[in-house]
Amino acid sequence: MAQELPQYVIDMMADRAWRMEHFLWHEVRNGWLFFDGPTQSALRGLGWEPPRPAQRPGPNRPEIILDNNSGEAFLYMHRQMLGAVNDRLAGDPQYPRIEGWKSIPRPRDADYPVPPAWDSGDNNLNNYLADVKSDAMFSSRFVPWEQQFSDPNYLRTVTLGELGARIEFSIHNQMHMRWCDVPQPGIRPDVDPSNPDAVDTSWDSPTYNWLGDTYSSHVNSVFWKLHGWVDDRISDWASANGVLGEIRWKGTWVGKMPGH
């Protein structure tokens, strides 16, 4: 049976400071090269200029940036979050530390069943949810991704930064949506990232833990299972590339993470 995080950890992650940090960190990395000058200037004034944008405009859609170590920042920042939660758990006998999935749960897994798709009111989102939650998607995309990102032969061909970027915008993003359930009380309205205080405080309730929103996903217990799986890929990469001891990180931007 799936184990829920202790309530004191849920409350910690539901704190507005943690919500804002996770939301803005993703928002500015993904959107920086798409923001207009005034938005960039406002975010710079708030201390939220990302040193390594994760995406850039492409001819038809955003392109993932593979060569600026933004993927390392993705891996590093979430490793810091894992560390913060493990420090808070402090070896709690009921939940000693975060442990990721050893393998991604298969369709109809008893502990981590895939919540069904629902009518979001948006046809594009509805189609995406039906696709990402399907058995066919699991077989055709999730299984090959899991094999690739654990394969020493592949891991020897990529930098840690490229690995992180490829994981972030493929299996990671889609795991979030595969295991997301109907958001309660609904989908949070977008706000201008340069005015994050516009997020109404009603969305800070610990019950708002939708995996499809960076303002809330880390409040959900499943977040830590999937990010534990992602974090284990760092060890696989290090082993495949003969890296011993601590990783010599190049991408270490965590934004305004509480406690840093």
Side-chain angles (χ1 to χ4, degrees):
M1 181 176 180
Q3 187 177 16
E4 293 293 317
L5 285 171
Q7 188 62 46
Y8 62 83
V9 175
I10 292 172
D11 291 342
M12 172 185 169
M13 289 291 105
D15 182 80
R16 192 171 177 88
W18 274 105
R19 289 186 183 274
M20 282 293 180
E21 190 278 339
H22 192 244
F23 161 63
L24 284 170
W25 188 88
H26 279 282
E27 195 79 5
V28 299
R29 284 177 66 254
N30 289 353
W32 185 257
L33 298 180
F34 301 84
F35 296 151
D36 59 23
T39 300
Q40 288 186 344
S41 180
L43 284 165
R44 193 175 289 117
L46 294 172
W48 276 101
E49 179 178 3
R52 299 172 188 84
Q55 297 183 109
R56 61 184 165 224
N60 300 306
R61 66 187 67 184
E63 293 180 350
I64 305 167
I65 301 176
L66 300 174
D67 58 0
N68 69 347
N69 291 310
S70 64
E72 276 203 16
F74 166 75
L75 296 171
Y76 181 85
M77 190 280 285
H78 288 91
R79 174 164 280 195
Q80 300 310 299
M81 289 185 70
L82 288 163
V85 170
N86 282 331
D87 287 345
R88 183 69 182 88
L89 288 167
D92 184 331
Q94 301 303 312
Y95 200 124
R97 62 180 290 105
I98 299 296
E99 291 185 354
W101 288 322
K102 295 307 178 186
S103 62
I104 298 171
R106 271 41 188 170
R108 288 166 292 285
D109 182 89
D111 291 331
Y112 295 96
V114 176
W118 71 94
D119 184 1
S120 69
D122 179 322
N123 285 336
N124 289 331
L125 178 55
N126 289 350
N127 291 336
Y128 176 63
L129 288 169
D131 189 32
V132 78
K133 292 172 175 291
S134 69
D135 291 0
M137 169 66 86
F138 187 85
S139 298
S140 66
R141 304 298 294 277
F142 281 84
V143 170
W145 277 331
E146 182 172 28
Q147 292 172 343
Q148 178 182 21
F149 295 137
S150 305
D151 180 2
N153 293 320
Y154 169 74
L155 295 174
R156 281 191 285 270
T157 71
V158 294
T159 65
L160 186 59
E162 180 177 341
L163 175 66
R166 292 194 182 279
I167 288 175
E168 178 178 5
F169 289 100
S170 61
I171 193 169
H172 160 264
N173 285 358
Q174 296 201 20
M175 281 195 291
H176 270 264
M177 298 309 293
R178 182 172 175 85
W179 273 276
C180 76
D181 208 339
V182 181
Q184 300 295 337
I187 295 178
R188 179 184 61 83
D190 285 336
V191 300
D192 182 339
S194 65
N195 183 27
D197 287 339
V199 176
D200 192 277
T201 57
S202 63
W203 296 99
D204 297 345
S205 167
T207 60
Y208 182 56
N209 66 353
W210 190 44
L211 282 170
D213 180 2
T214 56
Y215 194 74
S216 56
S217 58
H218 57 291
V219 186
N220 192 304
S221 294
V222 172
F223 175 95
W224 302 96
K225 301 304 291 185
L226 75 86
H227 271 283
W229 181 90
V230 169
D231 192 74
D232 286 344
R233 306 290 68 79
I234 301 172
S235 300
D236 286 350
W237 178 88
S239 177
N241 287 279
V243 176
L244 303 177
E246 291 296 316
I247 301 291
R248 295 183 179 180
W249 296 96
K250 303 180 185 71
T252 58
W253 187 64
V254 298
K256 295 184 177 182
M257 182 176 289
H260 284 68

